[in-house]
Amino acid sequence: MAIRVMDTPELLSLNKFNVDEKEPHIRLDKSKCRSCQDRPCLVVCPAGLYRLDQEGEINFDHAGCLECGTCRVMCNNKGIQSWNYPRATFGVHYRLG
Ligand code: SF4
């Protein structure tokens, strides 16, 4: 039996998300993000949820978060104001373990 190797976007697309629109589980302090020189969040998030907008500001949406906690650990400028797991029944549901 041949094993098919799946690429990252394909693997991520298998996950199911129940997004909590009322209470984002990650909140940013945009003023601290603005003053951050390194901006590690742009490269460490495996889901690529941190992006730069046209004005060069950090743009983030918690939908699609894999709850790995990497951004929380790597944020050295305290731009992540709060990081919690989503409320019960919300968040990612992994389909391949
Ligand atoms: S917890 Fe992980 S997947 Fe979620 S935003 Fe942070 S780095 Fe990205």
Side-chain angles (χ1 to χ4, degrees), residues 26 44-47 49-50 60 64-72 83:
I26 300 173
V44 300
C45 175
L49 299 179
Y50 293 86
F60 172 73
C65 176
L66 302 170
E67 301 167 29
C68 67
T70 307
C71 56
R72 178 185 188 190
W83 194 107

Side-chain angles (χ1 to χ4, degrees), residues 13-27:
S13 73
L14 295 175
N15 297 325
K16 188 177 168 204
F17 297 91
N18 186 13
V19 179
D20 188 346
E21 302 287 358
K22 290 187 180 160
E23 247 182 76
H25 66 287
I26 300 173
R27 292 179 191 272

Side-chain angles (χ1 to χ4, degrees), residues 31-91:
S31 65
K32 292 200 172 146
C33 294
R34 224 169 273 132
S35 68
C36 182
Q37 299 293 309
D38 301 333
R39 296 181 164 180
C41 56
L42 293 173
V43 293
V44 300
C45 175
L49 299 179
Y50 293 86
R51 299 206 172 123
L52 286 180
D53 65 17
Q54 290 178 335
E55 284 77 42
E57 302 250 326
I58 297 286
N59 197 338
F60 172 73
D61 186 354
H62 69 286
C65 176
L66 302 170
E67 301 167 29
C68 67
T70 307
C71 56
R72 178 185 188 190
V73 171
M74 295 304 290
C75 178
N76 56 7
N77 204 44
K78 308 286 184 229
I80 295 183
Q81 197 171 41
S82 65
W83 194 107
N84 296 289
Y85 285 108
R87 295 186 294 163
T89 75
F90 291 106

